[in-house]
Amino acid sequence: MRWPGIVAAYRDLLPAAARVVTLGEGGTPLVPSPSLERRLGRPAWLKLEGCNPTGSFKDRGMTMAVSRALEAGARGVVCASTGNTAASAAAYAARAGLPCWIVLPAGAVARGKLVQASAHGARVVAVDAGFEAALDLAREAASERHVLVNSLNPMRLEGQATVAYELCEALGRPPAVVVLPVGNGGNITACWMGFRRWRDAGRCSALPRMVGVQAEGASPLIRGAPVERPQTVASAIRIGRPASWAGAVEAAAASGGRFVAVSDDDILAAQRALAGEGVFVEPASAAAYAGAGRLDPAVLPDGDVVCVLTGHGLKDPDAVPAPSPERVAATPEAVRALMEGGGGARWP
Ligand code: F0G
């Protein structure tokens, strides 16, 4: 069956869109995580959001935001980004035939994401400031003609809520716990809204606990105060002043969940562990898996635990140690001799 994209798949739960700009986003795989299942003693799942068209969950929101902008007669779209929003906005704007303007924190965006944005023809502006200042700028520069497509745009959250619908459908009920990385706070806000919508539509009665994971050096929601110069290897969530602060706090509190901080070492170890299960994610997404591993099985509710893996590993190739292929003579004997030596691929 052809997957039609989230707007057509969940038309009854989304605001109407006259003309849909879609790249077939959503419908992403939900695969078991044997390692997390062993650790937590419960069914544990990985939602592979890196399988979206531009390699991150942002596409769910962007189909809605760009469709609506086009419908409203916008001349272009604008956003600030740590990288994935930029790549997604650039792709959907290209699809819609709209110019796309992107404001980035200079030197702080992963290579794969920058390449994507320029490949789709976006105009990229870098500022000597953090993401927070870039967002302030984009917000002030935006207008009815140039629509802001950051998650402050309510259409973005509507679209991103659909990950909750997919999880409820795939499992036949809501998960007991959903773990996801938190940067600007939009995604945890949207996901929680999605579960409540599903319940309010009479499709389930229970709701999951929402666990938000931040990097230790960029953990304003755990500290309860903005972080002036956020630092972490997970550049996607290097944010010290989340725009959706209130929504994120509400999601964790109202659901009986919490926020967890993980170190950069934890994040990189988690990235390696997931890769060892065949799933390659960028560091921000690995943070969710690291955070899930911190949960105490003794106090976890029964039921499914889902880790939302927000972005593909190819987004940020520089986060992984450079590969060093073993050099051999170009003969079958030489290659066979190596293989007979045993061992599979190694993380360098
Ligand atoms: N994971 C990835 C891979 C992200 O790119 C982001 C955010 C998050 C998690 C956190 O989501 O901000 O809604 O709490 N990236 C934004 C961007 C900030 O500009 O691409 P959030």
Side-chain angles (χ1 to χ4, degrees):
M1 192 186 73
R2 181 179 165 273
W3 175 260
I6 57 123
V7 179
Y10 297 108
R11 206 174 280 284
D12 53 332
L13 291 171
L14 289 171
R19 192 174 145 200
V20 182
V21 181
T22 178
L23 293 165
E25 57 295 316
T28 55
L30 183 68
V31 302
S33 169
S35 60
L36 210 51
E37 215 156 296
R38 273 195 304 277
R39 164 88 186 74
L40 299 176
R42 291 169 174 65
W45 304 89
L46 308 172
K47 181 69 169 160
L48 306 190
E49 290 291 279
C51 295
N52 275 298
T54 76
S56 88
F57 71 98
K58 305 282 180 182
D59 298 343
R60 293 179 184 275
M62 211 54 79
T63 181
M64 285 295 301
V66 174
S67 296
R68 184 55 66 92
L70 193 65
E71 206 175 308
R75 296 257 314 272
V77 297
V78 58
C79 67
S81 182
T82 58
N84 281 323
T85 298
S88 185
Y92 282 80
R95 191 79 182 174
L98 288 175
C100 176
W101 295 86
I102 289 165
V103 189
L104 298 177
V109 171
R111 197 152 49 93
K113 305 173 188 180
L114 272 178
V115 170
Q116 283 182 291
S118 60
H120 292 303
R123 295 283 295 275
V124 181
V125 181
V127 293
D128 282 321
F131 167 80
E132 298 83 348
L135 181 55
D136 290 344
L137 277 171
R139 221 165 163 172
E140 283 159 33
S143 62
E144 272 178 22
R145 280 151 48 101
H146 292 97
V147 171
L148 186 76
V149 292
N150 280 102
S151 54
L152 296 164
N153 179 325
M155 289 301 123
R156 279 278 311 279
L157 300 192
E158 294 285 345
Q160 283 170 212
T162 59
V163 72
Y165 311 155
E166 285 180 26
L167 290 173
C168 292
E169 282 190 326
L171 297 169
R173 58 174 188 272
V177 182
V178 176
V179 188
L180 69 185
V182 175
N184 215 20
N187 205 31
I188 192 169
T189 304
C191 193
W192 174 236
M193 178 175 90
F195 286 115
R196 281 178 298 144
R197 286 255 173 91
W198 198 257
R199 182 200 54 189
D200 295 347
R203 300 181 190 183
C204 68
S205 49
L207 289 171
R209 294 189 191 178
M210 305 295 293
V211 175
V213 185
Q214 297 207 290
E216 267 171 14
S219 53
L221 295 169
I222 288 120
R223 297 180 197 192
V227 173
E228 208 50 57
R229 273 182 201 76
Q231 290 299 334
T232 168
V233 65
S235 57
I237 52 170
R238 195 182 288 147
I239 296 175
R241 180 166 47 89
S244 296
W245 186 302
V249 167
E250 154 79 12
S255 70
R258 54 187 279 227
F259 292 102
V260 179
V262 293
S263 70
D264 279 3
D265 284 349
D266 293 340
I267 289 172
L268 294 175
Q271 189 187 31
R272 187 185 305 209
L274 281 167
E277 280 184 5
V279 176
F280 188 31
V281 301
E282 64 171 285
S285 310
Y289 177 91
R294 290 277 191 83
L295 299 175
D296 179 0
V299 298
L300 268 190
D302 285 335
D304 301 282
V305 177
V306 173
C307 238
V308 182
L309 300 179
T310 45
H312 201 283
L314 290 173
K315 291 274 191 177
D316 190 1
D318 301 324
V320 178
S324 50
E326 296 171 61
R327 290 197 74 112
V328 292
T331 64
E333 292 76 20
V335 177
R336 199 174 303 125
L338 255 190
M339 295 193 297
E340 295 299 335
R346 277 170 305 195
W347 191 282

